[in-house]
Amino acid sequence: MTGGELTLGAVLARLEEREGEIAAQAEATREQIAQLTARLDELGRAAEEVRITRKTLLALPDPQPPAPPAPKLPDHPAYQRIMAVFAAADMPLRARQVCEAMDLEIAPNNINNTRLKLKRLAERGILVETEQGLFTQPRPQPSGDVTAGSRTSPESAKRT
């Protein structure tokens, strides 16, 4: 044999060496696969958690805006008597009708004082003046109404 020729022993040694390299690469690849599989499992769990969260959030009802605080009724007993009249009424009332319902003497002074109280209650949003001198309790707006809360006050109506 010449120096350029390989002996059978040398070929077998070279093959055994190559087999060891391939086995080491295969083991390293298995480890990478195990790491990638674990990472893939983590990502799958995270994606499932996001899907569950989305589904839960979509199932929640739309939040309702907080109700505005109820206007404060003045402390004077006359206002409470007036509100009792409106609680029993099924239609808008004028100052004279409120006086009659409260068994007040139908005198200009009583009617004017009652009208002033009705105007104060309307300014506070407790009553609504539907037309000049005609008062009623405000009606709640339906929840789906786009005009809810867009009622114009007498002051803003005067400015326009």
Side-chain angles (χ1 to χ4, degrees):
M1 291 178 106
T2 64
E5 294 180 21
L6 292 174
T7 63
L8 182 58
V11 171
L12 289 176
R14 179 72 181 119
L15 286 176
E16 192 173 318
E17 183 182 309
R18 180 69 182 130
E19 185 179 5
E21 290 171 0
I22 291 172
Q25 288 176 349
E27 186 57 34
T29 303
R30 278 189 201 90
E31 288 178 22
Q32 287 177 337
I33 289 172
Q35 291 173 353
L36 291 173
T37 300
R39 180 69 178 137
L40 185 61
D41 289 344
E42 289 174 21
L43 291 172
R45 281 191 297 274
E48 183 61 22
E49 290 171 359
V50 168
R51 281 191 290 275
I52 290 169
T53 301
R54 179 187 302 116
K55 183 178 178 181
T56 302
L57 289 175
L58 289 173
L60 292 175
D62 288 336
Q64 297 297 319
K72 185 169 176 358
L73 188 66
D75 289 332
H76 195 277
Y79 289 98
Q80 289 155 8
R81 289 180 63 201
I82 289 171
M83 290 311 296
V85 169
F86 278 96
D90 58 351
M91 62 182 192
L93 300 172
R94 298 194 178 277
R96 179 184 184 98
Q97 294 168 306
V98 174
C99 287
E100 289 170 353
M102 293 191 311
D103 292 326
L104 291 176
E105 180 184 347
I106 305 303
N109 191 33
N110 286 340
I111 294 172
N112 287 332
N113 286 337
T114 301
R115 183 176 299 111
L116 288 173
K117 286 178 178 61
L118 293 173
K119 294 269 187 192
R120 264 188 220 116
L121 291 172
E123 288 171 1
R124 291 183 179 208
I126 297 170
L127 292 179
V128 175
E129 189 172 8
T130 57
E131 61 181 63
Q132 186 68 32
L134 194 60
F135 298 87
T136 188
Q137 289 183 315
R139 293 190 182 126
Q141 296 288 331
S143 61
D145 190 353
V146 293
T147 62
S150 65
R151 200 177 320 148
T152 58
S153 67
E155 290 80 22
S156 64
K158 290 176 189 172
R159 284 180 262 166
T160 57

